[in-house]
Amino acid sequence: MAAEYDSGYIFLPEHQYVDPLILNELLEANNSFPCNTTGEMEVWTTNPDLQARSKWECINYVSKDDLKESSCESLLDYLTGGDYEMGSHWNPSFLSVTWSDGDQEAVKEAISNYLEAAPTQADVDEYKRLKAKLGL
């Protein structure tokens, strides 16, 4: 999964997921400038069966043939070798948070801590429900 936020990108292994609402809140709380997307979070995958989990996600399928044609061994190579390359100083990896300004390490740590806590979908749904109820 990869998501673009202002001038940066977040790469997560496909088996890890952060709800866009939670991701935006982690970014707001741990970065010195706004990072919310203006529209859908773009998600890239080699899994043709992957479905969006929220209305804020846009699934982009990259086939094995697409990878082969681009001489890429992985989806990360495919994404970071083209449109999402940010120069020679950039060394993206899973979990990778990178942009031109802001506190990348604080954001990376916050996302990592969230993933390690492993909240269930029921936890996330209850959080969203309470947030909506409180009008936040």
Side-chain angles (χ1 to χ4, degrees):
M1 178 168 94
E4 180 179 355
Y5 291 86
D6 288 346
S7 59
Y9 309 94
I10 298 171
F11 295 95
L12 299 169
E14 193 167 342
H15 68 278
Q16 292 183 312
Y17 177 79
V18 179
D19 184 279
L21 180 124
I22 303 293
L23 187 56
N24 285 337
E25 290 189 4
L26 290 170
L27 291 168
E28 285 179 21
N30 293 280
N31 202 43
S32 60
F33 66 97
C35 296
N36 291 345
T37 59
T38 55
E40 294 178 328
M41 176 174 69
E42 294 187 62
V43 177
W44 289 268
T45 183
T46 55
N47 177 357
D49 299 322
L50 186 67
Q51 298 294 313
R53 295 187 192 181
S54 76
K55 67 180 181 177
W56 300 110
E57 297 170 49
C58 172
I59 304 295
N60 299 291
Y61 173 66
V62 178
S63 71
K64 300 290 182 183
D65 289 338
D66 292 336
L67 294 178
K68 189 183 294 184
E69 286 176 22
S70 299
S71 300
C72 296
E73 293 183 27
S74 70
L75 182 57
L76 182 64
D77 291 339
Y78 179 85
L79 293 170
T80 60
D83 293 341
Y84 300 95
E85 188 171 3
M86 294 184 71
S88 60
H89 66 284
W90 189 34
N91 184 24
S93 60
F94 297 120
L95 163 72
S96 179
V97 175
T98 189
W99 40 67
S100 58
D101 193 10
D103 193 343
Q104 300 156 342
E105 290 305 314
V107 172
K108 184 175 178 178
E109 183 177 348
I111 294 170
S112 181
N113 289 342
Y114 174 82
L115 291 170
E116 286 176 12
T120 66
Q121 186 59 46
D123 294 334
V124 173
D125 291 345
E126 179 64 8
Y127 173 78
K128 288 178 174 180
R129 186 190 69 74
L130 289 172
K131 186 172 177 166
K133 183 177 179 180
L134 296 172
L136 300 175

